[in-house]
Amino acid sequence: MTTQPDTPRPGADTPGLTVAAVARRLGIAPATLRTWDRRYGLGPSAHTAGSHRRYRPADLARLEVMQRALLQGVTPAEAARLALGSGSTPSSPVLLSAAPGVADQVRVGGSVLRLAGAGRRARGIGRAALAMDASAVRRLVDEAVTADGLVPTWDTVVRPVLGAIAERWESTGAGVEIEHLVSEAVIAVYGARALAAPRPPAEVRPVLLACMPGERHSLPLSVLAAVIAECGVPCRPLGADLPLDALVAAVQRSAPAAVVLWAQDRRTADPAAIDGLPRTRPAFRSFTAGPGWESSPASVTHLGSLSEAVDTLCVFLGVTHRN
Ligand code: B12
């Protein structure tokens, strides 16, 4: 008779889950589980006759505490200490304020993200990103926004993680999938906040936010959209790689108060495109944003950071931002 690999052998007096089953349940590699056992004593409390590891519910609960603490940016040693001391059920909270832990890098399996000086939220997101745990990244970014606000979360949590991912890509060539995963998660969180913002009065003219043709780095504009939506300004986020004729059509159709054009790379920053925008009545104001714009037409204001963009647009539009 054959036995399912993940179910305890019939008749065994120490039922529990195999390493593979626990790894699948937690979304981590079996090798990581073995490391946690070897290094921190977070192993199974039961073995079958053939000395196969079987994790009982209490073992699994400790591992869940370990994993939650890691995702919140606690160092592995500290997370293990919390897990071992937890006597936990899966739903019991981890008291992170006791010992946040500091380290220069997060590591998942063989992958490393260098996050020197970053806070525990950034480290938790970095860890979830390396594990490709999209829902944890979304949840952690959302928690950060709720706790600290849209602008601080972008500047002190998300940007350091993106910087670390970019650095890893530059030095190893790996991790474009992580760049995509984190970008999508951040866009989802900020997009949801933009949608949840109170509906502005119909007479307020919108702000168009667009990436230049060929430019796929739309993320900072999604963030800006959420922040200015919070200020009561209607936004038309037009996303990545907008063809110029579509930008012209959008300007003609929506009578914007302002147009913000993002270029990450100087090859996508085309000043002629700005000069070619249609004239409207009432007129709109053009802004450039992103490091690609080394020179913008004199008629245009460059927005150098998220805070600067929010402040400038709020003053220009006559609204206030409380964050
Ligand atoms: C996320 C990301 C992507 C995502 C974009 C997803 C999306 N929907 O936006 C994807 C995976 C699609 C992508 C693709 C590519 N990317 Co990319 N990407 C990034 C990454 C990690 C973050 C981009 C970002 O949002 N930057 C904004 C913030 C996070 O950057 P920052 O430096 O902290 O901020 C500065 C300013 O931008 C400004 N600022 C910050 N936030 C805000 C907000 C507002 C509103 C304003 C006004 C200003 C502002 O203030 C800061 C001081 O100057 C960067 C690395 C990085 N750190 O920027 C690479 C990076 C921009 N990408 C790079 C490259 C090479 C590419 C690809 C060519 C190859 C690749 N890696 O896949 C493609 C090409 C895409 C294309 N044709 O446009 C290079 C560009 C190098 C260059 N200029 O030559 C970078 C720098 C990575 C690197 N170190 O090599 N990328």
Side-chain angles (χ1 to χ4, degrees):
M1 185 187 103
T2 53
T3 336
Q4 289 296 314
D6 289 348
T7 43
R9 222 184 283 159
D13 55 359
T14 54
L17 294 172
T18 61
V19 171
V22 172
R24 259 200 309 280
R25 185 176 289 203
L26 297 178
I28 58 180
T32 304
L33 274 182
R34 293 193 187 95
T35 305
W36 289 358
D37 182 8
R38 209 177 46 248
R39 204 171 283 169
Y40 308 117
L42 279 167
S45 49
H47 284 68
T48 56
S51 201
H52 293 298
R53 294 143 172 271
R54 296 291 186 201
Y55 287 81
R56 288 173 164 158
D59 304 328
L60 190 60
R62 286 192 315 186
L63 293 172
E64 285 172 337
V65 171
M66 171 89 180
Q67 198 192 27
R68 274 207 308 281
L70 285 172
L71 288 178
Q72 291 178 48
V74 168
T75 59
E78 184 57 24
R81 197 184 63 76
L82 288 164
L84 287 167
S86 64
S88 168
T89 62
S91 59
S92 55
V94 177
L95 294 175
L96 291 173
S97 54
V102 181
D104 280 355
Q105 59 183 36
V106 291
R107 184 184 286 271
V108 171
S111 308
V112 175
L113 214 49
R114 285 162 46 80
L115 276 161
R120 77 169 171 82
R121 289 190 191 280
R123 288 155 33 76
I125 291 167
R127 189 178 296 283
L130 284 180
M132 294 207 64
D133 187 342
S135 60
V137 174
R138 256 201 314 273
R139 179 172 51 74
L140 294 167
V141 174
D142 195 58
E143 282 172 13
V145 167
T146 302
D148 302 329
L150 293 166
V151 177
T153 296
W154 172 246
D155 281 332
T156 65
V157 179
V158 177
R159 279 182 51 212
V161 174
L162 289 172
I165 292 171
E167 193 186 294
R168 178 169 177 257
W169 177 74
E170 268 183 276
S171 58
T172 66
V176 172
E177 70 287 359
I178 292 171
E179 215 167 89
H180 278 254
L181 183 136
V182 172
S183 301
E184 291 301 309
V186 174
I187 288 170
V189 171
Y190 279 80
R193 298 291 172 138
L195 285 175
R199 212 184 159 85
E203 68 277 11
V204 185
R205 289 159 65 209
V207 175
L208 296 191
L209 304 172
C211 287
M212 294 296 290
E215 183 56 72
R216 285 170 51 210
H217 296 93
S218 59
L219 180 51
L221 288 187
S222 301
V223 172
L224 179 60
V227 183
I228 62 177
E230 216 178 44
C231 303
V233 174
C235 254
R236 303 281 183 274
L238 301 172
D241 188 15
L242 188 72
L244 282 184
D245 54 351
L247 175 62
V248 167
V251 168
Q252 284 164 338
R253 292 185 56 189
S254 51
V259 176
V260 181
L261 296 171
W262 185 274
Q264 183 76 31
D265 191 290
R266 75 188 139 74
R267 284 166 298 187
T268 63
D270 176 11
I274 302 174
D275 294 332
L277 290 177
R279 292 183 191 281
T280 56
R281 268 174 195 279
F284 63 89
R285 177 110 167 248
S286 299
F287 296 89
T288 53
W293 292 103
E294 282 165 351
S295 63
S296 310
S299 56
V300 173
T301 304
H302 183 73
L303 307 169
S305 68
L306 178 59
S307 311
E308 189 187 333
V310 175
D311 291 347
T312 307
L313 289 170
C314 284
V315 168
F316 173 65
L317 298 163
V319 296
T320 46
H321 184 244
R322 294 167 304 282
N323 201 329

